Amino acid sequence: MSLPGRVDLVSQRLVFAPNLAWRDFDLKTPIERATGLPVELENAANSCALAEIWFGQHAEGVRNLVAVTVSEGIGCGLILNHQLFKARPEWPASLDIPRFVEDGLECRCGNRGCWEVYASNSAALRYYSQTASPVAAARLLPELWGRL
């Protein structure tokens, strides 16, 4: 199961998903109980990298790959020497959510200046609402938010 956040490799618990406001959440156990199937959790960007290596049209012979995902947040999945690179639990979360602007705008993760504050879907909507006429923004923004 692909999740937009950090997953603990040992416990298979979701550690933190800022855009969902979920912390230390066990999604694996209830889904396994409900379905009777084994469940593995993985970060969404890592899942995208794996999908590209496994099923991509041009993946044959590819040993290294960077998959950058942009939606509500920004993620990066790395395949190095044909293996998924995973952050270790003791590494700081800043490896998962790099800062783009020192002391920049506040991010949902609690830090300031993260990439997604400046380059995600929600950032694009914020830029639009700041630059569009009030009438156009009031008419279009509810429709766009409904699609995210």
Side-chain angles (χ1 to χ4, degrees):
M1 176 173 283
S2 174
L3 297 169
R6 193 170 205 190
V7 175
D8 183 291
L9 302 176
V10 177
S11 70
Q12 282 285 290
R13 290 176 69 91
L14 179 68
V15 176
F16 184 43
N19 291 315
L20 298 175
W22 291 357
R23 281 189 181 275
D24 192 29
F25 190 75
D26 180 14
L27 195 58
K28 176 184 168 81
T29 304
I31 292 176
E32 284 182 334
R33 284 185 188 143
T35 64
L37 299 170
V39 172
E40 293 290 323
L41 303 182
E42 186 54 79
N43 170 273
N46 288 348
S47 297
C48 286
L50 288 170
E52 186 60 35
I53 285 292
W54 292 340
F55 306 111
Q57 290 183 2
H58 306 287
E60 189 173 326
V62 173
R63 298 196 57 74
N64 301 299
L65 177 122
V66 176
V68 178
T69 60
V70 180
S71 60
E72 271 309 290
I74 295 180
C76 182
L78 299 173
I79 304 289
L80 303 174
N81 198 23
H82 213 73
Q83 298 291 316
L84 178 64
F85 175 82
K86 294 192 177 200
R88 296 171 65 181
E90 66 270 16
W91 290 352
S94 61
L95 290 174
D96 294 334
I97 308 171
R99 286 194 184 161
F100 182 68
V101 176
E102 191 66 34
D103 296 324
L105 297 173
E106 186 174 355
C107 181
R108 292 181 188 178
C109 74
N111 290 328
R112 293 189 160 278
C114 299
W115 284 2
E116 62 191 58
V117 176
Y118 298 94
S120 64
N121 291 350
S122 52
L125 290 174
R126 187 183 72 249
Y127 292 139
Y128 177 78
S129 69
Q130 291 170 347
T131 59
S133 73
V135 173
R139 189 176 56 239
L140 186 60
L141 283 177
E143 179 184 335
L144 291 174
W145 276 115
R147 293 182 188 171
L148 296 179

